[in-house]
Amino acid sequence: MVNDGHATGSRMVVVALALAMLALFVVNIFVGSTHVPPSQVLEVLGACLGCPAWDVSETTSFIILHSRLPQAVVAVFCGASLSVAGLMLQTAFRNPLAGPSVFGITSGASLAVAIVTLAVGTSTAIGGQITVVAAAFVGATAVTALILALSAIVRSGVMLLIVGIMIGYLSSSAITLLNYFASADGMRSYMLWGMGDFGAVSSEQLPVFVALSALALLSAVLLVKPLNALLLGERYAESLGVDVVSVRNRLLLSTGLLSAVATAYCGPVSFLGLAVPHIARLLMRTDNHKSLMPVTMVCGSAIALLCNLLTTVLSDGVLLPLNAITPLIGAPVILYVILRKR
């Protein structure tokens, strides 16, 4: 009876989160930094379904279909990707403060973008956006490859975490030097990218972003059983026939792809990968990844949509930086977890 009650409670949590995510997705389409009457939003959406739109300008259609809708879709996939990456790292290395940024993956992407914007002088405007995305992806995957290579030498999970932190420090030092010698335009371009933005993905780039994110999330779902085995410790997992080294390598590859895609397209979005897995655990009260992984995905998407909505609270065409909003939600969660675990 207890198990039945717990299962029912888990299903209710999943349904509630899914409904919240759907509601936030709809609100993100209707609300933005530029005021658009709800009736016109409905007409634009109806026109996509074949209904006639009478009094809608091309500007309004562009705002809804090429700005708000892609931005909401990007928030869904970016939030899910970073949150799942954090969940897998926290489980594999048995460290509640593990996340994509800890392993230097985000720092690698930031350094690559700093090189093209500060040293080369590429702009983050539409003309140079493809270069910036490519640079961030190369930087993140390069650090992931380095961590993978070092994992064959460094067997300790804790030591591997320290290696990632050192990579982050080295990247930050290099970025500081590049900033010191960069032009004012280069510093501005890099600063804008570093603030994080779900609206940086254009309609043309959206299919590629969604396909890469979906592939990375699928690779994470396939690791559910090995992650559950690792919860009991590496020795116990090995006794069950789990190849711990192989699982760790697959996990790093999956985490690297999740983080690389999200960071390349949206910038170094902070705290989602660190805080959302803890929120999911608090809601589900279980460490079983069969339940925890989908809840983390949905919860990450919902929180990303909420953060994206909060960036528009000033309206009148003014957008707050995304990385000014995410710590307001993530930092209290981390503080609560630290104080709760003492």
Side-chain angles (χ1 to χ4, degrees):
M1 295 294 291
V2 175
N3 290 335
D4 290 343
H6 180 73
T8 302
S10 299
R11 284 193 292 269
M12 290 178 63
V13 170
V14 173
V15 171
L17 283 173
L19 291 174
M21 184 189 74
L22 181 61
L24 286 167
F25 187 92
V26 173
V27 173
N28 269 268
I29 297 176
F30 278 82
V31 178
S33 57
T34 302
H35 175 70
V36 178
S39 59
Q40 292 190 14
V41 177
L42 289 173
E43 283 196 40
V44 171
L45 297 177
C48 296
L49 301 175
C51 301
W54 303 108
D55 300 319
V56 179
S57 65
E58 291 185 5
T59 302
T60 301
S61 297
F62 182 86
I63 290 173
I64 303 302
L65 299 180
H66 296 280
S67 178
R68 291 185 186 177
L69 185 58
Q71 199 166 343
V73 173
V74 170
V76 167
F77 280 93
C78 183
S81 297
L82 292 176
S83 301
V84 169
L87 172 66
M88 292 195 297
L89 290 173
Q90 289 170 13
T91 299
F93 296 98
R94 306 177 71 84
N95 189 325
L97 297 181
S101 58
V102 175
F103 275 94
I105 298 172
T106 302
S107 298
S110 300
L111 176 58
V113 172
I115 290 172
V116 300
T117 56
L118 300 179
V120 180
T122 302
S123 172
T124 54
I126 295 175
Q129 194 174 42
I130 296 175
T131 305
V132 171
V133 168
F137 190 81
V138 169
T141 50
V143 171
T144 303
L146 177 60
I147 295 293
L148 272 172
L150 292 174
S151 67
I153 304 171
V154 181
R155 299 289 180 175
S156 169
V158 175
M159 295 305 295
L160 204 58
L161 278 172
I162 294 174
V163 169
I165 292 172
M166 293 302 104
I167 291 173
Y169 278 125
L170 289 172
S171 299
S172 297
S173 178
I175 291 170
T176 301
L177 290 173
L178 288 171
N179 267 308
Y180 183 79
F181 293 105
S183 64
D185 290 339
M187 290 180 64
R188 182 178 180 277
S189 295
Y190 179 76
M191 183 182 68
L192 290 174
W193 179 83
M195 290 179 179
D197 185 10
F198 292 140
V201 182
S202 65
S203 301
E204 291 75 19
Q205 295 174 330
L206 187 62
V208 177
F209 171 78
V210 170
L212 290 173
S213 299
L215 178 63
L217 289 169
L218 178 61
S219 70
V221 171
L222 296 176
L223 289 169
V224 165
K225 287 186 178 180
L227 284 170
N228 279 338
L230 288 177
L231 284 174
L232 303 173
E234 291 188 0
R235 290 184 180 180
Y236 190 83
E238 289 176 348
S239 69
L240 294 176
V242 176
D243 187 343
V244 174
V245 175
S246 174
V247 168
R248 187 167 65 178
N249 289 342
R250 287 166 56 197
L251 182 143
L252 285 173
L253 278 173
S254 178
T255 303
L257 182 58
L258 286 164
S259 306
V261 173
T263 305
Y265 281 92
C266 306
V269 180
S270 62
F271 275 99
L272 288 182
L274 194 59
V276 173
H278 293 296
I279 296 174
R281 289 189 187 98
L282 291 171
L283 291 173
M284 298 300 292
R285 297 183 181 181
T286 181
D287 287 324
N288 185 350
H289 287 75
K290 189 175 181 181
S291 303
L292 198 58
M293 178 103 39
V295 170
T296 301
M297 287 184 188
V298 178
C299 188
S301 297
I303 291 177
L305 286 167
L306 175 61
C307 291
N308 187 62
L309 190 63
L310 292 176
T311 62
T312 66
V313 292
L314 296 182
S315 67
D316 298 327
V318 178
L319 285 173
L320 295 174
L322 181 62
N323 279 337
I325 302 298
T326 51
L328 298 178
I329 296 175
V333 173
I334 299 303
L335 288 173
Y336 172 78
V337 170
I338 292 173
L339 294 175
R340 184 167 174 259
K341 292 181 179 291
R342 298 176 184 243

